[in-house]
Short mmCIF file of all heavy atoms in Angstrom, two decimals:
data_model
loop_
_atom_site.label_atom_id
_atom_site.label_comp_id
_atom_site.label_asym_id
_atom_site.label_seq_id
_atom_site.Cartn_x
_atom_site.Cartn_y
_atom_site.Cartn_z
N GLY A 139 0.81 -1.20 0.00
CA GLY A 139 0.00 0.00 0.00
C GLY A 139 0.84 1.26 0.00
O GLY A 139 0.57 2.21 -0.75
N VAL A 140 1.87 1.28 0.84
CA VAL A 140 2.76 2.44 0.90
C VAL A 140 3.48 2.62 -0.43
O VAL A 140 3.63 3.74 -0.95
CB VAL A 140 3.78 2.29 2.05
CG1 VAL A 140 4.82 3.40 2.00
CG2 VAL A 140 3.07 2.30 3.39
N LEU A 141 3.94 1.51 -1.00
CA LEU A 141 4.64 1.55 -2.29
C LEU A 141 3.76 2.16 -3.37
O LEU A 141 4.19 3.05 -4.13
CB LEU A 141 5.07 0.14 -2.70
CG LEU A 141 5.66 0.00 -4.11
CD1 LEU A 141 6.96 0.77 -4.24
CD2 LEU A 141 5.88 -1.47 -4.44
N PHE A 142 2.51 1.73 -3.45
CA PHE A 142 1.62 2.24 -4.49
C PHE A 142 1.25 3.71 -4.25
O PHE A 142 1.09 4.48 -5.21
CB PHE A 142 0.36 1.37 -4.57
CG PHE A 142 0.61 0.02 -5.17
CD1 PHE A 142 0.11 -1.13 -4.57
CD2 PHE A 142 1.33 -0.12 -6.34
CE1 PHE A 142 0.34 -2.38 -5.11
CE2 PHE A 142 1.57 -1.36 -6.90
CZ PHE A 142 1.07 -2.50 -6.29
N LEU A 143 1.11 4.12 -2.99
CA LEU A 143 0.89 5.53 -2.70
C LEU A 143 2.07 6.38 -3.18
O LEU A 143 1.89 7.47 -3.75
CB LEU A 143 0.65 5.75 -1.21
CG LEU A 143 -0.70 5.32 -0.64
CD1 LEU A 143 -0.73 5.51 0.87
CD2 LEU A 143 -1.83 6.12 -1.28
N HIS A 144 3.28 5.88 -2.94
CA HIS A 144 4.49 6.59 -3.37
C HIS A 144 4.52 6.71 -4.89
O HIS A 144 4.77 7.80 -5.44
CB HIS A 144 5.72 5.83 -2.86
CG HIS A 144 7.01 6.51 -3.15
ND1 HIS A 144 8.23 5.91 -2.92
CD2 HIS A 144 7.28 7.73 -3.67
CE1 HIS A 144 9.20 6.74 -3.28
NE2 HIS A 144 8.65 7.86 -3.73
N LEU A 145 4.26 5.61 -5.58
CA LEU A 145 4.27 5.63 -7.04
C LEU A 145 3.18 6.55 -7.59
O LEU A 145 3.39 7.27 -8.58
CB LEU A 145 4.08 4.22 -7.59
CG LEU A 145 5.27 3.26 -7.39
CD1 LEU A 145 4.87 1.83 -7.73
CD2 LEU A 145 6.45 3.69 -8.24
N GLY A 146 2.01 6.52 -6.96
CA GLY A 146 0.92 7.39 -7.39
C GLY A 146 1.28 8.86 -7.25
O GLY A 146 1.03 9.67 -8.14
N ALA A 147 1.90 9.21 -6.12
CA ALA A 147 2.29 10.60 -5.88
C ALA A 147 3.38 11.04 -6.86
O ALA A 147 3.35 12.16 -7.37
CB ALA A 147 2.76 10.77 -4.44
N MET A 189 -1.27 6.33 -15.04
CA MET A 189 -0.48 5.53 -14.11
C MET A 189 -0.76 5.93 -12.66
O MET A 189 -0.88 5.08 -11.78
CB MET A 189 1.01 5.67 -14.41
CG MET A 189 1.47 4.93 -15.65
SD MET A 189 3.28 4.78 -15.75
CE MET A 189 3.75 6.50 -15.94
N SER A 190 -0.88 7.23 -12.43
CA SER A 190 -1.15 7.70 -11.07
C SER A 190 -2.48 7.16 -10.57
O SER A 190 -2.56 6.67 -9.43
CB SER A 190 -1.15 9.24 -11.04
OG SER A 190 -1.43 9.71 -9.75
N GLY A 191 -3.51 7.25 -11.39
CA GLY A 191 -4.82 6.71 -10.99
C GLY A 191 -4.76 5.23 -10.70
O GLY A 191 -5.38 4.74 -9.74
N LEU A 192 -3.99 4.49 -11.53
CA LEU A 192 -3.84 3.05 -11.33
C LEU A 192 -3.15 2.76 -9.99
O LEU A 192 -3.60 1.90 -9.22
CB LEU A 192 -3.04 2.44 -12.48
CG LEU A 192 -2.68 0.95 -12.35
CD1 LEU A 192 -3.94 0.10 -12.33
CD2 LEU A 192 -1.77 0.53 -13.50
N PHE A 193 -2.08 3.48 -9.70
CA PHE A 193 -1.33 3.24 -8.47
C PHE A 193 -2.16 3.58 -7.23
O PHE A 193 -2.15 2.84 -6.24
CB PHE A 193 -0.03 4.03 -8.47
CG PHE A 193 0.99 3.52 -9.46
CD1 PHE A 193 1.71 4.40 -10.25
CD2 PHE A 193 1.23 2.16 -9.60
CE1 PHE A 193 2.65 3.94 -11.16
CE2 PHE A 193 2.17 1.68 -10.49
CZ PHE A 193 2.88 2.58 -11.28
N PHE A 194 -2.87 4.70 -7.27
CA PHE A 194 -3.72 5.06 -6.13
C PHE A 194 -4.85 4.02 -5.96
O PHE A 194 -5.25 3.71 -4.84
CB PHE A 194 -4.31 6.46 -6.30
CG PHE A 194 -3.38 7.56 -5.88
CD1 PHE A 194 -2.93 8.50 -6.81
CD2 PHE A 194 -2.94 7.67 -4.57
CE1 PHE A 194 -2.07 9.52 -6.43
CE2 PHE A 194 -2.08 8.68 -4.18
CZ PHE A 194 -1.64 9.62 -5.12
N GLY A 195 -5.35 3.49 -7.08
CA GLY A 195 -6.36 2.44 -7.00
C GLY A 195 -5.82 1.18 -6.35
O GLY A 195 -6.51 0.53 -5.55
N LEU A 196 -4.58 0.81 -6.68
CA LEU A 196 -3.95 -0.37 -6.07
C LEU A 196 -3.70 -0.14 -4.58
O LEU A 196 -3.82 -1.07 -3.77
CB LEU A 196 -2.65 -0.70 -6.79
CG LEU A 196 -2.81 -1.26 -8.22
CD1 LEU A 196 -1.46 -1.31 -8.93
CD2 LEU A 196 -3.45 -2.64 -8.18
N ALA A 197 -3.36 1.09 -4.21
CA ALA A 197 -3.18 1.41 -2.79
C ALA A 197 -4.50 1.26 -2.04
O ALA A 197 -4.53 0.74 -0.92
CB ALA A 197 -2.64 2.84 -2.64
N LEU A 198 -5.58 1.70 -2.67
CA LEU A 198 -6.90 1.55 -2.06
C LEU A 198 -7.25 0.07 -1.89
O LEU A 198 -7.80 -0.34 -0.85
CB LEU A 198 -7.95 2.23 -2.93
CG LEU A 198 -9.41 2.09 -2.48
CD1 LEU A 198 -9.62 2.69 -1.10
CD2 LEU A 198 -10.35 2.75 -3.50
N ALA A 199 -6.90 -0.74 -2.89
CA ALA A 199 -7.17 -2.18 -2.81
C ALA A 199 -6.39 -2.80 -1.64
O ALA A 199 -6.93 -3.65 -0.90
CB ALA A 199 -6.79 -2.85 -4.12
N ALA A 200 -5.13 -2.39 -1.47
CA ALA A 200 -4.34 -2.89 -0.35
C ALA A 200 -4.97 -2.50 0.97
O ALA A 200 -5.01 -3.29 1.92
CB ALA A 200 -2.91 -2.35 -0.44
N GLY A 201 -5.48 -1.27 1.04
CA GLY A 201 -6.16 -0.82 2.25
C GLY A 201 -7.41 -1.63 2.55
O GLY A 201 -7.69 -1.95 3.71
N LEU A 202 -8.17 -1.97 1.51
CA LEU A 202 -9.38 -2.77 1.70
C LEU A 202 -9.03 -4.15 2.24
O LEU A 202 -9.74 -4.67 3.12
CB LEU A 202 -10.13 -2.88 0.38
CG LEU A 202 -10.85 -1.61 -0.09
CD1 LEU A 202 -11.35 -1.79 -1.52
CD2 LEU A 202 -12.02 -1.28 0.84
N VAL A 203 -7.99 -4.75 1.71
CA VAL A 203 -7.56 -6.07 2.20
C VAL A 203 -7.22 -5.99 3.69
O VAL A 203 -7.64 -6.85 4.48
CB VAL A 203 -6.34 -6.58 1.39
CG1 VAL A 203 -5.76 -7.83 2.04
CG2 VAL A 203 -6.75 -6.88 -0.05
N LEU A 204 -6.46 -4.97 4.08
CA LEU A 204 -6.08 -4.82 5.48
C LEU A 204 -7.29 -4.52 6.36
O LEU A 204 -7.38 -5.00 7.49
CB LEU A 204 -5.04 -3.71 5.63
CG LEU A 204 -3.65 -4.03 5.05
CD1 LEU A 204 -2.78 -2.78 5.00
CD2 LEU A 204 -2.97 -5.10 5.89
N ALA A 205 -8.23 -3.74 5.84
CA ALA A 205 -9.44 -3.42 6.60
C ALA A 205 -10.25 -4.68 6.87
O ALA A 205 -10.72 -4.90 7.99
CB ALA A 205 -10.27 -2.39 5.85
N ARG A 209 -8.09 -4.41 10.30
CA ARG A 209 -7.33 -3.17 10.53
C ARG A 209 -8.02 -1.99 9.82
O ARG A 209 -7.45 -1.38 8.92
CB ARG A 209 -5.89 -3.33 10.02
CG ARG A 209 -5.07 -4.41 10.72
CD ARG A 209 -4.79 -4.05 12.16
NE ARG A 209 -3.86 -4.99 12.77
CZ ARG A 209 -4.22 -6.09 13.41
NH1 ARG A 209 -5.52 -6.38 13.55
NH2 ARG A 209 -3.31 -6.88 13.93
N VAL A 212 -6.52 1.58 9.10
CA VAL A 212 -5.47 1.78 8.10
C VAL A 212 -5.88 2.88 7.13
O VAL A 212 -5.03 3.55 6.54
CB VAL A 212 -5.16 0.45 7.36
CG1 VAL A 212 -6.27 0.11 6.37
CG2 VAL A 212 -3.82 0.55 6.63
N PHE A 213 -7.19 3.09 6.97
CA PHE A 213 -7.65 4.15 6.08
C PHE A 213 -7.37 5.54 6.64
O PHE A 213 -7.26 6.51 5.90
CB PHE A 213 -9.14 3.99 5.79
CG PHE A 213 -9.43 2.89 4.81
CD1 PHE A 213 -10.13 1.75 5.21
CD2 PHE A 213 -9.00 2.98 3.50
CE1 PHE A 213 -10.39 0.73 4.31
CE2 PHE A 213 -9.26 1.96 2.60
CZ PHE A 213 -9.95 0.84 3.00
N LEU A 214 -7.26 5.64 7.97
CA LEU A 214 -6.90 6.92 8.58
C LEU A 214 -5.47 7.29 8.20
O LEU A 214 -5.21 8.38 7.69
CB LEU A 214 -7.04 6.84 10.09
CG LEU A 214 -6.45 8.01 10.89
CD1 LEU A 214 -7.18 9.30 10.55
CD2 LEU A 214 -6.50 7.74 12.39
N VAL A 215 -4.55 6.36 8.46
CA VAL A 215 -3.13 6.63 8.18
C VAL A 215 -2.90 6.69 6.67
O VAL A 215 -2.24 7.61 6.16
CB VAL A 215 -2.24 5.55 8.82
CG1 VAL A 215 -0.77 5.90 8.61
CG2 VAL A 215 -2.55 5.42 10.30
N GLY A 216 -3.44 5.70 5.95
CA GLY A 216 -3.26 5.69 4.50
C GLY A 216 -3.91 6.89 3.84
O GLY A 216 -3.39 7.42 2.85
N GLY A 217 -5.05 7.32 4.39
CA GLY A 217 -5.73 8.49 3.84
C GLY A 217 -4.89 9.75 4.00
O GLY A 217 -4.86 10.60 3.10
N GLY A 219 -1.62 9.77 4.10
CA GLY A 219 -0.55 9.64 3.13
C GLY A 219 -1.02 9.96 1.72
O GLY A 219 -0.32 10.63 0.95
N ALA A 220 -2.22 9.47 1.37
CA ALA A 220 -2.78 9.74 0.05
C ALA A 220 -3.04 11.23 -0.13
O ALA A 220 -2.76 11.81 -1.19
CB ALA A 220 -4.07 8.95 -0.15
N ALA A 221 -3.56 11.89 0.91
CA ALA A 221 -3.82 13.33 0.84
C ALA A 221 -2.53 14.10 0.62
O ALA A 221 -2.48 15.06 -0.16
CB ALA A 221 -4.51 13.79 2.12
N GLY A 223 0.17 12.98 -0.89
CA GLY A 223 0.59 12.76 -2.27
C GLY A 223 -0.23 13.56 -3.27
O GLY A 223 0.30 14.07 -4.26
N LEU A 224 -1.52 13.67 -3.02
CA LEU A 224 -2.40 14.40 -3.93
C LEU A 224 -2.21 15.91 -3.82
O LEU A 224 -2.11 16.61 -4.84
CB LEU A 224 -3.86 14.04 -3.64
CG LEU A 224 -4.30 12.63 -4.06
CD1 LEU A 224 -5.64 12.30 -3.44
CD2 LEU A 224 -4.37 12.51 -5.58
#
Side-chain angles (χ1 to χ4, degrees):
V140 173
L141 172 64
F142 288 133
L143 286 176
H144 185 188
L145 289 169
M189 286 194 294
S190 179
L192 174 63
F193 290 136
F194 277 117
L196 289 170
L198 176 61
L202 288 170
V203 171
L204 290 169
R209 298 292 188 269
V212 74
F213 284 114
L214 169 63
V215 184
L224 288 167

